[in-house]
């Protein structure tokens, strides 16, 4: 399928605080990939009790304005809802924040470039406990489905399992030969998978603290991995050896992983058979499932590609920016948020609605990870800040629910 390339709108990162003052100006840009941008100004004319009166130049139009959002359109672009953070969490970590996960009950875990993890409360911002034990960077941290246990991995070639309440690490998994780049859970988490720069994806048993098997070995760094339920029409292959008793719930699961050499691999988790392999133009940085029939990948060259498992072909390709895609988070079965190295976070509606959401705040610092508590979106950034966004109204707007 041909690539979908359109212009994107960008706004000054602190637009909401700047435009609260009469006479203040903030910039707005419309940029088409590889072409010069159109740059305009938003100016506050008068300050009103409910919202200020604004002017905007260079063919931009303001469609709506609230205290925390502004909807802007240009004739060359989609309407874009710019959302300011509802809350900013400072001081969780001293360095950049590499990874973030949040439970529906308001507990968060985040990891930093210093090798530490922090468990904290999103409702109060209170730090609960520091998880110390990794050496060097912690690339990923995730809550087990129970929300009470944390799994992490990083540059020290290990995976660690932590009690989120006590901070105790009863299990360290160490069979990879290079940095562990990503992790995922098989159902409730008795088994987990990990990907590594050593070119392997491994299956582990948490209770036994042991590697069950190496699912796949390739000739490139494996940057990301994801497990999800296989649709009924997908043939998963047959297991050629007896299944170990430690292997739990791997039937009817597929494993997707993406590599530095631009390849995407799909395996039957139980059968260990490669179901298909694809190649894209640059390194695959992140991968996730979207619904039952689709998965989406984000690439180093800025491409975002949505695949349909039914025909194993790309369903949609977006290449609207050259900035690397660093994370993808599926949201409420209507689309997904992507974060980039240039500090932007966009919501991509799966079904092609001609509207977008842009989460503002970072000033060109890479946004490394996106998390959700089921209703709100959280981002973590190189600037050491976690930002919370209330996205419900914006989601309703771009998906025509409002």
């Amino acid at each position: 399928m041909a690539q979908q390339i359109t212009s994107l709108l960008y706004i000054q990162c602190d637009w909401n605080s700047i435009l609260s003052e009469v006479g203040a100006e903030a910039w707005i840009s419309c940029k088409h990939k590889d072409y010069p941008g159109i740059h305009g100004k938003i100016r506050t004319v008068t300050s009103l009790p409910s919202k200020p009166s604004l002017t905007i130049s260079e063919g931009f139009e303001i469609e709506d304005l609230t205290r925390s959002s502004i909807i802007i359109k240009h004739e060359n672009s989609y309407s874009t809802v710019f959302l300011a953070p509802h809350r900013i969490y400072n001081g969780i970590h001293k360095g950049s924040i590499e990874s973030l996960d949040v439970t529906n009950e308001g507990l968060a875990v985040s990891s930093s470039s210093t090798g530490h993890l922090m468990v904290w409360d999103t409702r109060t911002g209170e730090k609960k406990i520091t998880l110390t034990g990794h050496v060097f960077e912690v690339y990923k941290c995730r809550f087990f489905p129970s929300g009470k246990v944390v799994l992490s991995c990083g540059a020290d070639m290990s995976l660690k399992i932590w009690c989120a309440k006590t901070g105790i690490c009863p299990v360290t998994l160490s069979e990879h030969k290079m940095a562990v780049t990503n992790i995922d859970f098989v159902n409730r988490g008795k088994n987990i998978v990990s990907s590594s720069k050593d070119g392997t994806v491994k299956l582990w048993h948490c209770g036994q603290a042991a590697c069950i098997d190496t699912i796949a070995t390739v000739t490139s760094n494996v940057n990301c991995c994801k497990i999800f339920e296989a649709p009924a029409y997908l043939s998963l292959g047959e297991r050629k050896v007896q299944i170990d008793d430690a292997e739990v719930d791997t039937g009817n699961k597929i494993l997707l992983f993406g590599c530095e050499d631009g390849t995407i691999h799909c395996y039957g988790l139980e059968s260990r058979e490669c179901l298909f392999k694809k190649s894209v133009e640059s390194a695959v940085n992140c991968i996730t499932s979207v619904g039952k029939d689709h998965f989406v990948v984000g690439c180093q060259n800025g491409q975002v590609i949505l695949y349909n498992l039914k025909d194993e072909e790309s369903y949609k390709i977006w290449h609207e920016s050259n900035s690397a895609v660093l994370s993808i988070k599926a949201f409420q079965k209507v689309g997904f948020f992507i974060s980039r190295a240039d500090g932007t976070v966009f919501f991509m509606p799966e079904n092609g609605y001609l509207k977008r959401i842009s989460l503002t705040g970072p000033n060109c610092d890479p946004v490394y990870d996106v998390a959700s508590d089921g209703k709100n979106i959280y981002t973590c950034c190189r600037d050491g800040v976690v930002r919370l966004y209330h996205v419900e109204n914006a989601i309703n707007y771009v998906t025509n629910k409002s």
Side-chain angles (χ1 to χ4, degrees):
M1 184 176 178
Q3 296 187 84
Q4 299 185 19
I5 302 178
T6 188
S7 298
L8 293 179
L9 296 187
Y10 301 85
I11 199 169
Q12 187 168 323
C13 65
D14 55 352
W15 66 270
N16 57 313
S17 60
I18 291 292
L19 295 178
S20 64
E21 301 178 7
V22 175
E25 289 184 342
W27 58 261
I28 180 77
S29 293
C30 179
K31 294 183 179 180
H32 194 86
K33 190 176 78 72
D34 299 330
Y35 288 90
I38 301 169
H39 308 290
K41 291 284 187 181
I42 309 171
R43 187 171 185 271
T44 304
V45 178
T46 59
S47 179
L48 304 177
S50 57
K51 57 185 178 182
S53 173
L54 305 178
T55 61
I56 193 166
S57 65
E58 305 303 324
F60 293 93
E61 298 178 19
I62 299 174
E63 297 185 338
D64 194 22
L65 174 67
T66 70
R67 181 170 297 181
S68 60
S69 68
I70 185 169
I71 304 176
I72 297 178
K73 189 181 185 307
H74 192 272
E75 60 184 6
N76 296 328
S77 73
Y78 298 144
S79 293
T80 299
V81 185
F82 293 100
L83 278 184
H86 177 76
R87 184 169 182 177
I88 293 176
Y89 303 90
N90 287 300
I92 302 295
H93 295 278
K94 293 182 179 179
S96 65
I97 303 177
E98 308 272 315
S99 185
L100 174 70
D101 197 18
V102 181
T103 71
N104 291 356
E105 290 72 39
L107 198 63
V109 63
S110 52
S111 65
S112 75
S113 56
T114 62
H116 297 90
L117 298 101
M118 183 67 67
V119 178
W120 51 282
D121 193 318
T122 62
R123 294 159 295 189
T124 64
E126 176 190 2
K127 298 179 184 179
K128 294 292 188 180
I129 196 163
T130 302
L131 310 180
T132 304
H134 276 289
V135 182
F136 310 122
E137 292 180 84
V138 179
Y139 293 142
K140 293 293 178 184
C141 57
R142 295 289 183 261
F143 281 105
F144 275 74
S146 67
K148 299 177 181 179
V149 181
V150 171
L151 175 65
S152 62
C153 67
D156 61 5
M157 302 181 289
S158 72
L159 297 87
K160 289 182 179 291
I161 298 174
W162 314 79
C163 173
K165 185 176 181 179
T166 65
I168 294 173
C169 175
V171 175
T172 297
L173 306 172
S174 302
E175 282 199 19
H176 282 294
K177 306 302 181 185
M178 296 179 70
V180 185
T181 56
N182 208 344
I183 45 182
D184 201 9
F185 304 97
V186 183
N187 280 3
R188 300 297 298 172
K190 289 184 178 180
N191 291 168
I192 58 176
V193 296
S194 61
S195 61
S196 171
K197 291 184 179 181
D198 65 12
T200 66
V201 182
K202 293 182 181 290
L203 178 69
W204 307 82
H205 189 280
C206 296
Q208 297 179 4
C211 180
I212 298 172
D213 198 6
T214 298
I215 302 295
T217 302
V218 296
T219 58
S220 176
N221 296 354
V222 184
N223 294 334
C224 51
C225 61
K226 181 66 178 178
I227 295 171
F228 64 103
E229 293 281 342
Y233 52 77
L234 196 63
S235 176
L236 301 181
E238 294 183 5
R239 183 69 170 265
K240 296 180 175 61
V241 298
Q242 185 175 352
I243 298 175
D244 191 300
D245 290 341
E247 187 171 329
V248 182
D249 296 327
T250 57
N252 200 36
K253 302 288 193 308
I254 57 176
L255 166 69
L256 286 160
F257 61 92
C259 301
E260 188 69 19
D261 64 0
T263 55
I264 304 162
H265 306 255
C266 179
Y267 275 67
L269 187 59
E270 184 180 84
S271 69
R272 314 290 201 263
E273 285 190 18
C274 182
L275 308 182
F276 61 80
K277 174 183 174 182
K278 298 187 175 297
S279 294
V280 295
E281 297 176 1
S282 71
V284 179
N285 291 340
C286 44
I287 189 167
T288 197
S289 57
V290 181
K292 295 182 179 179
D293 298 319
H294 297 89
F295 68 95
V296 61
V297 301
C299 302
Q300 183 66 25
N301 68 350
Q303 278 190 327
V304 178
I305 308 172
L306 182 68
Y307 286 95
N308 189 332
L309 284 168
K310 285 187 177 181
D311 55 17
E312 301 171 16
E313 294 297 327
S314 57
Y315 177 57
K316 291 180 183 177
I317 304 175
W318 295 270
H319 200 178
E320 300 159 339
S321 169
N322 292 323
S323 182
V325 181
L326 302 182
S327 72
I328 303 175
K329 181 67 178 179
F331 190 75
Q332 294 185 355
K333 300 180 181 180
V334 292
F336 46 91
F337 286 89
I338 66 163
S339 70
R340 296 185 182 270
D342 62 3
T344 57
V345 182
F346 282 99
F347 175 74
M348 314 282 282
E350 180 187 351
N351 293 329
Y353 305 107
L354 299 181
K355 300 172 185 176
R356 289 286 173 85
I357 300 170
S358 175
L359 307 184
T360 62
N363 189 13
C364 299
D365 284 298
V367 176
Y368 292 120
D369 208 356
V370 178
S372 175
D373 59 11
K375 184 177 180 180
N376 305 300
I377 289 292
Y378 300 76
T379 65
C380 65
C381 186
R382 187 176 64 181
D383 62 9
V385 174
V386 172
R387 295 173 172 87
L388 160 65
Y389 300 85
H390 287 176
V391 298
E392 183 177 4
N393 289 339
I395 293 290
N396 289 339
Y397 171 77
V398 302
T399 58
N400 298 323
K401 292 182 180 180
S402 58

